[in-house]
Amino acid sequence: MNDPSQTQANVPPILRVAAGQDLYGEYRGLAVSYIAFKVSLPDPNGLLVVENTLYKKRGPARHLHYDQDEWFYAVEGEFIIEIGQQRLPLRPGDSILAPRQVPHVWAHVGETKGRLLIAFMPAGNMEAYFREVTQANAMPSEDPEFWRAHGMELLGPPLPIE
């Protein structure tokens, strides 16, 4: 029969994060939004989920991830996302997957606050990326080497907001 103490030792911790809170109780600003870590596992092959709350119309630069799929779920607000050659709206309740190695870019375009859940599979260096870019409470550097160091390729500017 299995030893219950052995079974318990192999069970990952339960991660509960209250609404509006960060897993670590920290604040991470990006000039136009803030990032809250919701799920972060110690293994870089695991899952990272962030909540990005946007209070201005904007989004990141066009990029791709070498080794991660990126999943978006719109919680609040309106977004436009381009994945490869497809341009699609993203409204509350909608989700979309940007596969690894495929260029993508998105922007909050709504008149009210926007909120996205974004999952990275595997997590790779994305937690380190968000920790670094939010130190200055500014949009990420457009230095291609900075992006490469975190497993991404910078491909162009953010989407223009009409």
Side-chain angles (χ1 to χ4, degrees), residues 9-23:
N10 296 325
V11 174
I14 294 171
L15 299 175
R16 182 186 184 282
V17 182
Q21 299 298 308
D22 176 84
L23 178 64

Side-chain angles (χ1 to χ4, degrees), residues 2-155:
N2 288 342
D3 178 357
S5 65
Q6 289 292 341
T7 304
Q8 290 297 326
N10 296 325
V11 174
I14 294 171
L15 299 175
R16 182 186 184 282
V17 182
Q21 299 298 308
D22 176 84
L23 178 64
Y24 303 108
E26 299 169 357
Y27 178 84
R28 287 174 202 74
L30 277 172
V32 299
S33 70
Y34 61 91
I35 301 286
F37 292 144
K38 294 297 185 175
V39 176
S40 178
L41 303 175
D43 181 355
N45 292 314
L47 176 68
L48 173 67
V49 179
V50 300
E51 181 179 56
N52 192 346
T53 303
L54 296 107
Y55 47 89
K56 292 186 181 178
K57 294 180 180 185
R58 181 84 195 258
R62 185 176 307 273
H63 64 281
L64 64 76
H65 298 264
Y66 300 131
D67 301 314
Q68 291 128 336
D69 298 315
E70 187 172 6
W71 177 77
F72 300 88
Y73 178 84
V75 176
E76 183 178 357
E78 296 179 39
F79 300 85
I80 296 292
I81 187 163
E82 289 182 8
I83 301 173
Q85 300 299 315
Q86 294 186 49
R87 183 181 176 112
L88 303 161
L90 203 59
R91 294 186 178 89
D94 293 344
S95 69
I96 194 163
L97 180 71
R100 64 191 74 192
Q101 297 287 333
V102 177
H104 58 280
V105 64
W106 59 267
H108 170 244
V109 297
E111 297 301 323
T112 61
K113 173 176 74 173
R115 227 167 13 117
L116 284 174
L117 286 178
I118 306 171
F120 299 92
M121 300 151 299
N125 291 325
M126 292 309 299
E127 182 173 333
Y129 169 80
F130 286 120
R131 286 187 178 281
E132 191 164 337
V133 299
T134 57
Q135 286 179 4
N137 192 21
M139 291 301 287
S141 164
E142 293 197 18
D143 173 10
E145 287 304 314
F146 173 77
W147 289 69
R148 281 188 204 107
H150 292 93
M152 296 176 281
E153 189 72 31
L154 177 65
L155 301 172

